[in-house]
Amino acid sequence: FQRFRRFWARLIGGGQPARREPPIVKIPREGTVAVLVAARNEETGIEDTVRSLLAAMPASDIYVFADQCTDATVEIARRFLPEANVIDHPTNVGKSRGLQYLLTHRVYLRNYRFVAVIDADSTIEPDYVIECMKVMRNRGTVGVVGKVITSNYPQNIFAVYRSFVYFVWEEVVKRLGSVVEAIPIASGTSTMWRVSALRRIEFDHRFSTEDFYITFQVHRRRLGMIKYASSAVVYSQDPPTFRSYRRQVYRWARAWWEGLRRYRVGLRWVRFEERRRVGALERPAADPVVAAAVEWT
C-alpha cells in the first residue's frame, strides 16, 4: 500500500512525490490525558516509544510500568521521564495488573479525564492524542480506537500479511462498527478511554489480554460508545518469526473465546418474559464526570 501511494503521488505530481505540510501539533493541557505504558524487558524499543510520546504529551503525564525488567528498560525510561513516573516493579505481575496499578495509584489520584494505553514497542504520530480528543468531544463516547500500522512492513511475510489484515479490519470492520456502535475489540495499543468509564470496569486478570474484557464490559454495562479515528495513527511492531506470530494469534483467539464465555455473548443468554428482554444490564445513570464540560487546548 505504501508503494502504491508513492507511485500514485509521483504519477499525479509530475514525477515528484507529493509533499505534505507537517501538522500543527497541539499538546493537551497538563493533567488532562495520561498515557500508560506497560513494559517487560523492552530496552530495544522503549526509547523510541517514549520519544514519540514526548512529541505529543507533557513528560509529567506519561507513566511506564516496568514489570520485573532485568534489562535497561527502567534506566532508559527515567532518562526522559520523572523518576516517580517510572514504576520499577520487583515481581512479574502481567500487563493487566500493571495497568490497574497505574490507574489506581496515578490516574485516579490525579483526577485525569482521559487515559491512552500504548504498548512499549509502539510509537504514535505527534497528533495522535489530539485526534482522539476530537472524537471524545461527544460526551457519549467513552473510547476511541486509533489506526494501527505495522512498523516493520515489508521486512517479512508476516508483516505483509498483517498489513493486509489491518487494512481490512480497520477500514471495513472498525468503520462499520463505529457507525453502528458495535466495535468488537478496542485494541490495547491504540485506544483512549474516558476515565469515568474505566472506574466502572472490573479487572479480571485471568484473561489472556486486557483489551478484550474491557471492551466487553463497556458494551455489557452500556457505558457509552466506542468510536474509530483513522487520523489517530499508531505504529506497532509485529512478530518477526512464525513461532512468535503463532503465539500472538493464539493469545488473541483465546482471549476472544474467554470473553464470549465470560460475558455470555450469543443467543442462549437472551430470554423473553412478558415481551421484555431479560439478561442485558440496564443503562447506568448519567455520570457527573462524563456530563461535565471538557476544556480543550
Side-chain angles (χ1 to χ4, degrees):
F1 298 106
Q2 295 176 358
R3 291 181 178 178
F4 176 79
R5 287 197 297 266
R6 288 196 294 266
F7 169 77
W8 182 254
R10 292 189 180 95
L11 183 64
I12 65 176
Q16 296 296 329
R19 293 184 178 182
R20 185 179 63 177
E21 294 296 331
I24 300 176
V25 178
K26 296 181 180 180
I27 296 180
R29 183 176 302 174
E30 184 177 357
T32 303
V33 183
V35 178
L36 309 184
V37 179
R40 166 75 173 167
N41 293 336
E42 297 285 353
E43 65 177 0
T44 58
I46 190 65
E47 180 175 347
D48 293 336
T49 301
V50 174
R51 285 183 179 274
S52 70
L53 295 177
L54 289 174
M57 297 288 302
S60 58
D61 293 333
I62 303 173
Y63 300 92
V64 175
F65 184 88
D67 193 10
Q68 196 184 15
C69 294
T70 57
D71 57 4
T73 300
V74 176
E75 291 76 10
I76 295 175
R78 285 179 175 172
R79 264 192 253 150
F80 304 94
L81 304 177
E83 183 176 353
N85 287 26
V86 181
I87 290 82
D88 186 8
H89 202 270
T91 58
N92 181 19
V93 295
K95 181 180 178 181
S96 179
R97 289 186 175 88
L99 294 179
Q100 185 181 27
Y101 179 92
L102 291 176
L103 288 171
T104 304
H105 298 279
R106 296 295 188 273
V107 176
Y108 297 159
L109 294 180
R110 295 192 58 182
N111 294 322
Y112 284 98
R113 295 184 177 183
F114 307 100
V115 166
V117 181
I118 303 295
D119 283 348
D121 59 353
S122 302
T123 58
I124 66 173
E125 287 285 350
D127 58 347
Y128 168 81
V129 176
I130 295 299
E131 293 299 323
C132 288
M133 293 179 70
K134 289 179 181 178
V135 183
M136 278 289 190
R137 288 179 176 177
N138 184 348
R139 296 178 184 175
T141 302
V142 299
V144 178
V145 185
K147 181 177 183 178
V148 180
I149 299 177
T150 177
S151 59
N152 48 355
Y153 174 89
Q155 297 177 8
N156 56 69
I157 187 63
F158 307 109
V160 173
Y161 172 72
R162 184 59 62 81
S163 297
F164 171 75
V165 173
Y166 282 159
F167 176 79
V168 175
W169 180 256
E170 294 171 344
E171 299 304 323
V172 179
V173 178
K174 284 186 178 180
R175 284 187 182 276
L176 180 61
S178 182
V179 172
V180 300
E181 301 179 12
I183 288 183
I185 295 300
S187 174
T189 188
S190 63
T191 304
M192 177 181 290
W193 296 102
R194 198 178 292 269
V195 174
S196 58
L198 292 183
R199 289 179 180 269
R200 300 185 179 186
I201 295 298
E202 296 178 2
F203 278 79
D204 191 344
H205 306 303
R206 296 171 297 177
F207 269 66
S208 300
T209 60
E210 83 292 339
D211 48 358
F212 282 80
Y213 69 75
I214 292 178
T215 308
F216 277 111
Q217 286 192 55
V218 168
H219 291 312
R220 274 287 180 262
R221 296 170 181 265
R222 308 291 197 272
L223 299 181
M225 299 179 295
I226 301 177
K227 293 294 185 179
Y228 170 61
S230 60
S231 56
V233 179
V234 176
Y235 298 93
S236 177
Q237 290 187 7
D238 287 295
T241 64
F242 174 75
R243 181 180 180 183
S244 58
Y245 179 83
R246 179 176 60 85
R247 292 176 60 183
Q248 184 187 68
V249 173
Y250 172 79
R251 187 174 69 255
W252 289 354
R254 180 183 177 90
W256 171 256
W257 289 108
E258 288 172 348
L260 295 184
R261 181 180 179 182
R262 171 66 176 81
Y263 298 103
R264 307 174 69 184
V265 177
L267 297 179
R268 294 182 59 184
W269 70 281
V270 179
R271 306 189 307 276
F272 292 89
E273 296 179 3
E274 299 179 357
R275 297 183 180 180
R276 181 180 179 183
R277 190 178 70 172
V278 179
L281 297 176
E282 298 293 336
R283 184 181 295 272
D287 191 332
V289 178
V290 177
V294 179
E295 296 181 359
W296 304 98
T297 56

